[in-house]
Amino acid sequence: SGGPSSARRTSTASQLRRLPDLPIPDAMGCTCCCPLPGPNDGPVHGIKPRAIIVWRGANLRHGDIIGSDPYCVVRVGEAGTTWDAKPRSVGRRGSPSSEKTNPVWNFGFAAETAGIAQPEVHVRVYDADIVGDDDFLGEAKILLGSLSDAQAELPLSGGEGVKGSVFVSGGAVEMLAQSGIKPWVGYEDVAPIGGQKIWNLADASTAIPMLVGTAPLPPAMRGIFWLGNQQKGSALVSLGGPSRDGGGCSNGHLVGNFYSVRVSGDRVWANPHNREDPFSDFTRYGDLVYHFAFDDAQNPKKCQIYPEMRRVDLVWVSEWLLDFEMHLKEEGDEQYPGSVIWRRPNFTLGQNVYEYALIQVIDENGNRIQPAWDKFVEYQKSHLAGDTPGKVFYRQIGA
């Protein structure tokens, strides 16, 4: 026991499929095999994504007296780290197999490994239960560099009663097509919302506590952005990753032309207050996620934004009524030299009723950009930003 919860069996992707006019692929929490683009397969810092295939399991223990519906979850992270230390946001979850003790999964995907000195593949196997947590059936680890197109048998370990093995291959992304495997875009389930943390902006010596957007994101998406003049609303957003959210949120790279950010997510969104106001309740209890559909994966200049309330399975797609967009100011802004600026118009019935800007205040190296940073701090210290001047509040999963 103690595995992922089965409470949310209806995937986000299944909700998206009920909305045929939504141009977002089945890539957000999907638990089916989707022939969709994975991470952009160009090299990042000279490192291309690597293919991972989990073929099957053998001689697994029965998870239940009646039988088992085994599935596997795969994370990739630094060698020697624990399961929890490997980023959940890029974890992939396969579909349960009806073959109880000898399941065949043929589950493959392309994993980004840029920034990981020694990538390690970590596989966990669970038995899907209708009620409660899924049963843990064992886990295995192997260095990604040790894998080839041959199937490596990895014995499962992890506690009393664990037995059996899984068969895994790894190599260049072309291996997926050569093996007849459609890239899987089913992400691990979202984690519970993390606890609230405080960032005192006045202390310039403080390390940046939020995730910072870096490559392989396009340059216009990197760093951290001030949601300008939002008063008591949102203060900062980062498109960085990978986070510990899961569900394909904040995974640190575009999936095709798409990216998702959880408003109550792990170190990616900050507010100027810690009060329990209606908007905070709305975003937290509904688990608000923004899906960003960019016009280009390499050099984006425009973005359509689709809000999703995950806990009530609602995705807003009626652009004729409410339309959320982003437009890159290619010429920049003379008030904020050196910062990337995105316009954020909001349309109702085709009329631009409200507009603000996303202003880059921290660059991809974690450096505060002047004068944008000082103007941001000055604004957050003012009465306009609420009753906790100079502080912003973000959420963090884990320590």
Side-chain angles (χ1 to χ4, degrees), residues 163-242:
K163 67 173 188 173
S165 55
V166 292
F167 291 78
V168 183
S169 298
V173 290
E174 292 78 11
M175 187 180 76
L176 294 171
Q178 293 166 0
S179 302
I181 301 295
K182 293 180 179 180
W184 193 285
V185 197
Y187 288 99
E188 192 173 347
D189 295 343
V190 292
I193 292 171
Q196 195 170 73
K197 305 285 185 178
I198 302 173
W199 182 5
N200 187 347
L201 302 173
D203 187 357
S205 64
T206 302
I208 306 299
M210 295 176 62
L211 295 176
V212 176
T214 61
L217 291 172
M221 295 172 60
R222 299 175 192 172
I224 297 178
F225 292 82
W226 169 28
L227 290 84
N229 302 320
Q230 288 284 288
Q231 298 189 10
K232 299 177 183 180
S234 301
L236 293 170
V237 63
S238 170
L239 302 179

Side-chain angles (χ1 to χ4, degrees), residues 118-136:
Q118 196 171 22
E120 181 177 66
V121 180
H122 198 152
V123 182
R124 280 192 168 184
V125 183
Y126 295 94
D127 169 40
D129 288 337
I130 296 175
V131 178
D133 291 340
D134 295 344
D135 297 318
F136 175 69

Side-chain angles (χ1 to χ4, degrees), residues 108-367:
F109 62 96
E112 292 281 2
T113 61
I116 305 176
Q118 196 171 22
E120 181 177 66
V121 180
H122 198 152
V123 182
R124 280 192 168 184
V125 183
Y126 295 94
D127 169 40
D129 288 337
I130 296 175
V131 178
D133 291 340
D134 295 344
D135 297 318
F136 175 69
L137 300 182
E139 64 182 346
K141 303 179 188 180
I142 189 171
L143 293 176
L144 180 54
S146 300
L147 293 173
S148 68
D149 56 0
Q151 295 186 26
E153 182 176 5
L154 309 181
L156 295 175
S157 62
E160 185 178 354
V162 170
K163 67 173 188 173
S165 55
V166 292
F167 291 78
V168 183
S169 298
V173 290
E174 292 78 11
M175 187 180 76
L176 294 171
Q178 293 166 0
S179 302
I181 301 295
K182 293 180 179 180
W184 193 285
V185 197
Y187 288 99
E188 192 173 347
D189 295 343
V190 292
I193 292 171
Q196 195 170 73
K197 305 285 185 178
I198 302 173
W199 182 5
N200 187 347
L201 302 173
D203 187 357
S205 64
T206 302
I208 306 299
M210 295 176 62
L211 295 176
V212 176
T214 61
L217 291 172
M221 295 172 60
R222 299 175 192 172
I224 297 178
F225 292 82
W226 169 28
L227 290 84
N229 302 320
Q230 288 284 288
Q231 298 189 10
K232 299 177 183 180
S234 301
L236 293 170
V237 63
S238 170
L239 302 179
S243 74
R244 303 185 185 106
D245 284 304
C249 294
S250 298
N251 53 23
H253 59 76
L254 289 168
V255 177
N257 288 12
F258 301 92
Y259 199 81
S260 298
V261 176
R262 191 183 192 190
V263 174
S264 295
D266 177 43
R267 298 165 292 157
V268 294
W269 203 283
N271 296 305
H273 58 78
N274 62 350
R275 300 191 318 276
E276 303 302 330
D277 61 16
F279 182 74
S280 296
D281 289 343
F282 176 77
T283 60
R284 188 172 69 259
Y285 294 128
D287 206 353
L288 176 62
V289 173
Y290 286 123
H291 300 294
F292 296 82
F294 289 94
D295 62 336
D296 187 87
Q298 305 298 328
N299 186 27
K301 297 179 181 178
K302 183 181 177 181
C303 176
Q304 191 70 43
I305 303 172
Y306 298 94
E308 176 193 1
M309 301 302 291
R310 285 206 161 179
R311 289 184 179 168
V312 294
D313 291 327
L314 173 66
V315 183
W316 188 268
V317 295
S318 301
E319 295 172 31
W320 64 270
L321 180 58
L322 292 176
D323 181 9
F324 307 111
E325 299 182 5
M326 283 171 46
H327 299 266
L328 181 67
K329 292 189 69 172
E330 297 182 64
E331 73 281 6
D333 190 316
E334 62 182 11
Q335 296 183 77
Y336 307 104
S339 292
V340 175
I341 309 291
W342 289 87
R343 291 178 46 236
R344 249 303 269 119
N346 298 270
F347 297 90
T348 300
L349 297 174
Q351 300 297 313
N352 188 352
V353 296
Y354 175 60
E355 182 171 322
Y356 62 94
L358 271 69
I359 304 156
Q360 187 189 38
V361 292
I362 293 173
D363 68 18
E364 63 182 294
N365 298 311
N367 299 315

